[in-house]
């Protein structure tokens, strides 16, 4: 199970007497949604009391919600108001965002809340809710380019100088909403927590460019057309069928972001990429990419036909363990290959630079539990990818208090802070991860 893990701070803290903040998480698997929300609210209330933050004036706070479609559609669509009402007495008001997911903590059904309260010396909340959709200029790139570096339609448009050379090079046309552009100092935003449909590429690019010091972690929601007739169900002040909802946090703390792939094993050695075009790897050292992959699959004897590629900026990064690969590596699905021409297509809308390194991976044949978090009980956000083809839990062995975890087939997106966003290659942009391992 691929996981994006974000460590936060639990207790109230101060920086020069200016800001105070609290993170608290709670999960319930109660069969009735009203009971589940009440149980979560009580857990959060106890966390607030234990931290002494109940002595602070009540203010407008924030809550990220992950909920499985095991409750009635009517109840799920009221989750924002249900959570706000349940937290009355902890907050004067709560901005609720989130999405329907396939799994919550422990790989089961239920509802999970991540509560945040923070105020500056004026008492203002340091969490800003937002929504970004098609009306903000977002293009649906994945509908026109998946597993290929360009389409005939793009070729036609390119002749009229409408589009750049490839889908991977399309500049973001997203206009951020006023609630984000009105933030006085974008450099103070340290975390963006998101829930989105599958069209995340341009949204996260725009966010990373505008908030260069922020860590980004977002979950692609579960598709819900057969649950409530909505393509996706994204929570906010109103329910959205598409787009991206999120919270921008301006806390003085820098969260710790980790992405791990403990369910993967190497099928090939680390190889240098000699030639690549868009999202297609053409040649690796001493061979064509597809020929290398086919030979590795034959020798592995694996009956699993899922194949993935770990792409790394440096050879040193390529040899880091998959449980903690660092910001200079990312793992993607291999979506196709051409044995005749030797190319292998990778599931990314970013360019793959030549002269970096690739290693082909396959899922481990041995069940792998989620690695120990080692965070000393601090609240943790953990987003994962469900392995729909085999029905595995994305969080095998993970049932820890203080962890807000959720998983979907769509996966998650992430970005480390301070990346160079001036280029179009995958190391200059946030990463979309749909790797169930």
């Amino acid at each position: 199970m691929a996981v994006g893990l974000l460590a936060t701070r639990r207790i109230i803290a101060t920086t020069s007497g200016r800001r105070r903040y609290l993170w608290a998480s709670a999960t319930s698997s109660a069969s009735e949604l009203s009971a589940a929300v009440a149980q979560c609210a009580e857990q959060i209330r106890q966390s607030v009391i234990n931290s002494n933050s109940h002595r602070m004036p009540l203010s407008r706070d924030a809550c990220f919600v992950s909920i499985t479609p095991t409750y009635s559609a009517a109840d799920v669509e009221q989750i924002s108001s249900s959570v706000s009402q349940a937290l009355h007495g902890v907050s004067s008001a709560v901005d609720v965002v989130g999405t329907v997911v396939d799994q919550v903590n422990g790989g089961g059904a239920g509802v999970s809340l991540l509560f945040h309260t923070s105020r500056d010396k004026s008492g203002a909340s340091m969490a800003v809710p937002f929504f970004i959709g098609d009306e903000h200029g977002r293009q649906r790139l994945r509908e026109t380019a998946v597993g290929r570096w360009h389409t005939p339609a793009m070729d036609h448009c390119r002749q009229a100088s409408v589009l750049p050379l490839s889908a991977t090079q399309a500049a973001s046309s997203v206009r951020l909403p006023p609630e984000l552009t009105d933030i006085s100092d974008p450099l103070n935003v340290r975390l963006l927590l998101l829930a989105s449909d599958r069209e995340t590429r341009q949204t996260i690019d725009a966010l990373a460019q505008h908030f260069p010091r922020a860590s980004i972690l977002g979950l692609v929601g579960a598709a819900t057309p057969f649950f409530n007739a909505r393509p996706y169900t994204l929570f906010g002040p109103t329910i959205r069928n598409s787009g991206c909802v999120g919270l921008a946090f301006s806390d003085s703390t820098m969260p710790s972001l980790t992405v791990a792939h403990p369910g993967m094993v190497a099928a090939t050695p680390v190889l240098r990429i000699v030639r690549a075009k868009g999202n297609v790897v053409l040649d690796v050292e001493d061979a064509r990419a597809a020929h290398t992959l086919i030979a590795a699959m034959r020798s592995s004897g694996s009956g699993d036909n899922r194949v993935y590629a770990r792409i790394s900026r440096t050879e040193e990064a390529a040899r880091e363990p998959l449980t903690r690969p660092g910001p200079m590596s990312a793992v993607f699905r291999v979506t196709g290959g051409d044995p005749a021409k030797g190319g292998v297509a990778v599931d990314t809308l970013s360019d793959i630079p030549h002269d970096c390194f690739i290693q082909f991976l396959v899922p481990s044949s041995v069940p792998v539990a989620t690695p120990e978090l080692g965070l000393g009980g601090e609240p943790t956000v953990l987003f994962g990818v469900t392995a729909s083809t085999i029905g595995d839990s994305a969080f095998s062995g993970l049932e820890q208090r203080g962890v807000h975890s959720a998983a979907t087939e769509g996966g998650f997106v992430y970005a480390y802070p301070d990346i160079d966003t001036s280029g179009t290659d995958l190391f200059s942009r946030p990463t979309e991860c749909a790797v169930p391992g």
Side-chain angles (χ1 to χ4, degrees):
M1 75 313 276
V3 293
L5 186 152
L6 189 81
T8 61
R9 298 283 185 88
R10 175 182 295 279
I11 61 175
I12 290 294
T14 60
T15 303
S16 304
R18 297 181 61 191
R19 295 179 183 175
R20 296 162 68 85
Y21 48 87
L22 166 75
W23 291 91
S25 61
T27 300
S28 174
S29 57
S31 58
E32 294 293 330
L33 185 54
S34 58
V37 171
Q39 290 176 8
C40 289
E42 181 58 28
Q43 293 177 43
I44 290 172
R45 184 175 290 106
Q46 290 301 318
S47 294
V48 171
I49 291 173
N50 293 339
S51 70
N52 292 322
S53 64
H54 65 294
R55 298 174 183 172
M56 298 167 60
L58 297 182
S59 74
R60 191 174 194 93
D61 297 315
C63 187
F64 190 94
V65 176
S66 298
I67 184 171
T68 58
T70 49
Y71 303 102
S72 74
D75 286 346
V76 168
E77 298 218 352
Q78 297 298 317
I79 188 66
S80 294
S81 60
S82 298
V83 169
S84 296
Q85 293 170 15
L87 291 174
H88 181 71
V90 176
S91 302
S92 61
V94 182
D95 291 310
V96 178
V97 304
T99 186
V100 172
V101 301
D102 294 322
Q103 300 175 2
V104 293
N105 285 30
V111 60
S112 188
L113 307 183
L114 180 71
F115 175 80
H116 174 272
T117 181
S118 65
R119 299 130 202 185
D120 61 15
K121 60 182 178 180
S122 67
S125 172
M126 304 307 293
V128 177
F130 62 88
F131 166 74
I132 300 172
D134 293 348
E135 57 265 46
H136 296 98
R138 187 187 70 155
Q139 297 173 328
R140 302 203 173 199
L141 297 179
R142 284 198 172 273
E143 291 183 359
T144 58
V146 177
R148 67 185 78 179
W149 89 278
H150 67 84
T151 66
M154 292 181 65
D155 288 338
H156 174 75
C157 292
R158 183 162 63 247
Q159 294 174 6
S161 301
V162 174
L163 290 177
L165 293 179
S166 74
T168 61
Q169 297 173 347
S172 176
S173 59
V174 171
R175 302 178 302 276
L176 295 182
E179 53 265 35
L180 293 179
T181 57
D182 287 348
I183 293 175
S184 58
D185 187 354
L187 296 180
N188 283 338
V189 174
R190 300 301 181 91
L191 170 63
L192 295 159
L193 194 60
L194 319 173
S196 178
D197 60 14
R198 288 186 71 246
E199 294 289 345
T200 59
R201 177 74 273 158
Q202 292 198 320
T203 301
I204 55 179
D205 283 351
L207 290 171
Q209 290 169 6
H210 192 73
F211 301 107
R213 297 187 65 186
S215 296
I216 298 176
L217 185 61
L219 188 65
V220 176
T224 57
F226 300 109
F227 172 63
N228 58 5
R230 297 179 183 273
Y232 293 87
T233 304
L234 306 172
F235 307 119
T238 61
I239 294 182
R240 305 284 185 171
N241 297 332
S242 64
C244 172
V245 296
L247 295 163
F249 297 96
S250 297
D251 284 342
S252 59
T253 58
M254 178 66 78
S256 173
L257 177 63
T258 302
V259 177
H261 300 275
M264 291 288 158
V265 294
T268 68
V270 174
L271 303 166
R272 182 186 297 275
I273 296 175
V274 176
R275 191 164 62 101
K277 188 174 186 180
N279 67 323
V280 178
V281 178
L282 297 170
D283 296 326
V284 296
E285 54 184 302
D286 300 328
R288 291 291 180 95
H291 301 165
T292 299
L293 178 57
I294 291 171
M297 294 301 295
R298 285 175 176 168
S299 62
S300 71
S302 172
D304 194 326
N305 60 2
R306 294 174 298 167
V307 184
Y308 305 91
R310 178 186 186 181
I311 300 176
S312 306
R313 171 70 81 183
T314 65
E315 187 172 6
E316 180 182 12
R319 300 191 185 282
E320 291 177 342
L322 285 164
T323 51
R324 283 189 175 272
M328 288 293 99
S329 285
V331 177
F332 304 93
R333 291 186 303 133
V334 172
T335 56
D338 186 339
K341 296 182 179 179
V344 169
V346 176
D347 185 24
T348 177
L349 292 177
S350 300
D351 289 332
I352 299 173
H354 70 279
D355 233 14
C356 60
F357 295 83
I358 189 170
Q359 184 176 38
F360 292 108
L361 311 172
V362 294
S364 172
S365 59
V366 179
V368 179
T370 302
E372 291 295 324
L373 303 181
L375 297 171
E378 300 291 4
T380 302
V381 183
L382 193 154
F383 290 157
V385 187
T386 56
S388 61
T389 56
I390 55 178
D392 287 347
S393 165
F395 303 115
S396 175
L398 175 63
E399 293 182 7
Q400 301 185 35
R401 191 176 182 85
V403 175
H404 178 97
S405 61
T408 69
E409 291 182 25
F412 60 93
V413 298
Y414 65 93
Y416 293 93
D418 299 316
I419 61 173
D420 179 5
T421 58
S422 60
T424 62
D425 68 69
L426 58 86
F427 299 109
S428 302
R429 307 171 79 177
T431 301
E432 300 169 297
C433 179
V435 177

Coordinates of all heavy atoms in Angstrom, one line a residue, residues 270-278 280-286 310-318 328 351-359 425-427:
V270 N 18.7 -0.6 -10.7 CA 18.6 0.8 -11.0 C 19.3 1.1 -12.4 O 20.4 0.7 -12.6 CB 19.2 1.7 -9.9 CG1 19.2 3.2 -10.3 CG2 18.4 1.5 -8.6
L271 N 18.5 1.8 -13.3 CA 19.0 2.0 -14.6 C 19.0 3.5 -15.0 O 18.0 4.2 -14.6 CB 18.2 1.2 -15.7 CG 18.1 -0.3 -15.5 CD1 17.0 -0.9 -16.3 CD2 19.5 -0.9 -15.8
R272 N 19.9 4.0 -15.7 CA 19.9 5.4 -16.1 C 19.0 5.5 -17.4 O 19.1 4.7 -18.3 CB 21.3 5.8 -16.5 CG 21.4 7.3 -16.9 CD 22.8 7.7 -17.4 NE 23.8 7.5 -16.3 CZ 24.0 8.5 -15.4 NH1 23.4 9.7 -15.5 NH2 24.9 8.3 -14.5
I273 N 18.2 6.6 -17.3 CA 17.3 6.9 -18.5 C 18.2 7.6 -19.5 O 18.7 8.7 -19.2 CB 16.1 7.7 -18.1 CG1 15.2 6.8 -17.2 CG2 15.3 8.1 -19.3 CD1 14.0 7.6 -16.6
V274 N 18.3 7.1 -20.7 CA 19.1 7.7 -21.7 C 18.2 8.6 -22.6 O 18.7 9.7 -23.0 CB 19.8 6.6 -22.6 CG1 20.5 7.3 -23.8 CG2 20.7 5.8 -21.8
R275 N 17.0 8.2 -22.9 CA 16.1 9.0 -23.7 C 14.7 8.9 -23.3 O 14.2 7.8 -23.0 CB 16.3 8.6 -25.2 CG 15.6 9.5 -26.2 CD 16.2 9.2 -27.6 NE 15.9 7.8 -28.0 CZ 14.8 7.5 -28.8 NH1 14.1 8.4 -29.3 NH2 14.6 6.2 -29.2
A276 N 14.0 10.0 -23.2 CA 12.6 10.0 -22.8 C 11.9 11.2 -23.5 O 12.5 12.2 -23.9 CB 12.4 10.2 -21.3
K277 N 10.6 11.0 -23.7 CA 9.8 12.0 -24.4 C 8.5 12.1 -23.7 O 7.7 11.2 -23.7 CB 9.6 11.7 -25.9 CG 9.0 12.8 -26.7 CD 9.0 12.5 -28.2 CE 8.5 13.6 -29.0 NZ 8.5 13.3 -30.4
G278 N 8.2 13.3 -23.1 CA 6.9 13.4 -22.3 C 6.9 12.4 -21.2 O 7.8 12.4 -20.4
V280 N 6.9 9.1 -21.7 CA 7.4 7.8 -22.2 C 8.9 7.7 -22.1 O 9.6 8.6 -22.6 CB 7.0 7.7 -23.7 CG1 7.5 6.4 -24.3 CG2 5.5 7.8 -23.9
V281 N 9.3 6.6 -21.4 CA 10.7 6.3 -21.3 C 11.1 5.4 -22.6 O 10.5 4.4 -22.8 CB 11.0 5.5 -20.1 CG1 12.5 5.1 -20.0 CG2 10.6 6.3 -18.8
L282 N 12.0 5.9 -23.4 CA 12.3 5.2 -24.6 C 13.5 4.3 -24.5 O 13.5 3.1 -24.8 CB 12.6 6.3 -25.7 CG 11.4 7.2 -26.1 CD1 11.8 8.3 -27.0 CD2 10.3 6.3 -26.7
D283 N 14.6 4.9 -24.0 CA 15.9 4.1 -23.9 C 16.4 4.2 -22.4 O 16.4 5.3 -21.8 CB 16.9 4.6 -24.8 CG 16.5 4.4 -26.3 OD1 15.8 3.4 -26.6 OD2 16.9 5.2 -27.1
V284 N 16.9 3.0 -21.9 CA 17.7 3.0 -20.7 C 19.1 2.5 -21.1 O 19.3 2.0 -22.2 CB 17.0 2.1 -19.6 CG1 15.7 2.7 -19.2 CG2 16.9 0.7 -20.1
E285 N 20.0 2.6 -20.2 CA 21.4 2.2 -20.5 C 21.4 0.8 -21.0 O 20.9 -0.2 -20.4 CB 22.3 2.4 -19.3 CG 21.8 1.6 -18.0 CD 22.7 1.9 -16.8 OE1 23.9 1.7 -16.9 OE2 22.1 2.4 -15.8
D286 N 22.0 0.6 -22.2 CA 22.3 -0.7 -22.8 C 21.1 -1.4 -23.4 O 21.2 -2.5 -23.9 CB 23.0 -1.7 -21.8 CG 24.3 -1.1 -21.3 OD1 25.0 -0.4 -22.1 OD2 24.6 -1.4 -20.2
R310 N 9.8 3.3 -10.5 CA 10.4 4.3 -9.6 C 11.4 5.2 -10.4 O 12.3 4.7 -10.9 CB 11.1 3.6 -8.4 CG 11.7 4.6 -7.4 CD 12.5 3.9 -6.4 NE 13.0 4.8 -5.3 CZ 13.7 4.4 -4.3 NH1 14.0 3.1 -4.2 NH2 14.1 5.2 -3.4
I311 N 11.1 6.5 -10.4 CA 12.0 7.4 -11.1 C 12.6 8.3 -10.1 O 11.9 8.9 -9.3 CB 11.1 8.2 -12.2 CG1 10.5 7.2 -13.2 CG2 12.0 9.2 -12.9 CD1 9.6 7.8 -14.2
S312 N 13.9 8.5 -10.2 CA 14.7 9.2 -9.2 C 15.6 10.2 -9.9 O 16.1 10.0 -11.0 CB 15.5 8.3 -8.4 OG 14.7 7.3 -7.8
R313 N 15.8 11.3 -9.3 CA 16.7 12.4 -9.8 C 18.1 12.0 -9.9 O 18.8 12.2 -10.8 CB 16.5 13.7 -9.0 CG 17.5 14.8 -9.3 CD 17.2 15.4 -10.7 NE 16.1 16.4 -10.6 CZ 15.7 17.0 -11.6 NH1 16.1 16.8 -12.9 NH2 14.7 17.9 -11.5
T314 N 18.6 11.3 -8.8 CA 20.0 10.9 -8.7 C 20.1 9.4 -8.4 O 19.1 8.8 -8.0 CB 20.7 11.6 -7.6 OG1 20.1 11.3 -6.3 CG2 20.6 13.2 -7.8
E315 N 21.2 8.8 -8.7 CA 21.4 7.4 -8.3 C 21.3 7.2 -6.9 O 20.8 6.1 -6.4 CB 22.7 6.9 -8.9 CG 23.0 5.4 -8.8 CD 24.2 4.9 -9.5 OE1 25.0 5.8 -10.0 OE2 24.4 3.7 -9.6
E316 N 21.8 8.1 -6.1 CA 21.8 8.0 -4.6 C 20.3 7.9 -4.2 O 19.9 7.1 -3.3 CB 22.5 9.2 -4.0 CG 22.4 9.1 -2.4 CD 23.1 10.3 -1.8 OE1 23.4 11.3 -2.6 OE2 23.3 10.3 -0.6
A317 N 19.5 8.8 -4.7 CA 18.0 8.8 -4.4 C 17.4 7.5 -4.8 O 16.5 6.9 -4.1 CB 17.3 10.0 -5.0
A318 N 17.8 6.9 -5.9 CA 17.2 5.7 -6.4 C 17.5 4.5 -5.5 O 16.8 3.5 -5.6 CB 17.7 5.4 -7.8
M328 N 13.3 13.1 -3.9 CA 13.9 13.0 -5.2 C 13.6 11.7 -5.9 O 14.2 11.3 -6.9 CB 15.4 13.2 -5.1 CG 15.9 14.6 -4.8 SD 15.6 15.7 -6.1 CE 14.1 16.5 -5.6
D351 N 6.7 15.7 -17.5 CA 7.8 15.2 -18.3 C 8.8 14.4 -17.5 O 9.1 14.7 -16.4 CB 8.5 16.4 -19.0 CG 7.7 17.1 -20.1 OD1 6.9 16.4 -20.6 OD2 7.9 18.3 -20.3
I352 N 9.3 13.3 -18.1 CA 10.3 12.5 -17.5 C 11.6 13.0 -18.1 O 11.9 12.8 -19.3 CB 10.1 11.0 -17.8 CG1 8.8 10.5 -17.2 CG2 11.3 10.2 -17.2 CD1 8.4 9.1 -17.5
P353 N 12.5 13.5 -17.3 CA 13.8 14.0 -17.8 C 14.7 12.9 -18.1 O 14.7 11.8 -17.5 CB 14.3 14.9 -16.7 CG 13.7 14.4 -15.4 CD 12.4 13.8 -15.8
H354 N 15.6 13.0 -19.2 CA 16.6 12.0 -19.4 C 17.7 12.3 -18.4 O 17.8 13.3 -17.7 CB 17.1 12.1 -20.9 CG 17.9 13.4 -21.1 ND1 17.3 14.6 -21.4 CD2 19.3 13.6 -21.1 CE1 18.3 15.5 -21.6 NE2 19.5 14.9 -21.4
D355 N 18.6 11.3 -18.3 CA 19.7 11.4 -17.4 C 19.3 11.3 -15.9 O 20.1 11.6 -15.1 CB 20.5 12.7 -17.6 CG 22.0 12.3 -17.8 OD1 22.3 11.1 -18.1 OD2 22.9 13.2 -17.8
C356 N 18.1 10.8 -15.7 CA 17.8 10.5 -14.3 C 17.7 8.9 -14.3 O 18.2 8.3 -15.2 CB 16.5 11.1 -13.8 SG 15.0 10.7 -14.8
F357 N 17.1 8.4 -13.2 CA 17.2 6.9 -13.0 C 15.8 6.3 -12.9 O 14.9 6.9 -12.3 CB 18.1 6.6 -11.8 CG 19.5 7.1 -12.0 CD1 19.9 8.4 -11.8 CD2 20.5 6.2 -12.5 CE1 21.2 8.8 -12.0 CE2 21.8 6.6 -12.7 CZ 22.2 7.9 -12.4
I358 N 15.7 5.0 -13.3 CA 14.5 4.3 -13.3 C 14.7 2.9 -12.7 O 15.8 2.3 -13.0 CB 13.8 4.2 -14.6 CG1 12.4 3.6 -14.5 CG2 14.6 3.4 -15.6 CD1 11.6 3.8 -15.8
Q359 N 13.8 2.4 -12.0 CA 13.8 1.0 -11.5 C 12.4 0.5 -11.6 O 11.5 1.1 -11.1 CB 14.3 0.9 -10.1 CG 14.5 -0.5 -9.6 CD 15.1 -0.6 -8.2 OE1 14.8 0.2 -7.3 NE2 15.9 -1.6 -8.0
D425 N 9.2 19.1 -15.7 CA 9.5 17.7 -15.4 C 8.9 17.3 -14.0 O 8.5 18.2 -13.2 CB 11.0 17.4 -15.5 CG 11.8 18.1 -14.3 OD1 11.6 17.6 -13.2 OD2 12.6 19.0 -14.6
L426 N 8.9 16.0 -13.8 CA 8.1 15.5 -12.6 C 8.8 15.9 -11.3 O 8.2 15.8 -10.2 CB 7.9 14.0 -12.7 CG 9.1 13.1 -12.8 CD1 9.7 12.7 -11.5 CD2 8.7 11.8 -13.6
F427 N 10.1 16.3 -11.3 CA 10.7 16.8 -10.1 C 10.5 18.2 -9.8 O 10.9 18.8 -8.8 CB 12.2 16.5 -10.1 CG 12.5 15.0 -10.3 CD1 13.0 14.5 -11.5 CD2 12.3 14.1 -9.2 CE1 13.3 13.2 -11.6 CE2 12.6 12.8 -9.4 CZ 13.1 12.3 -10.6

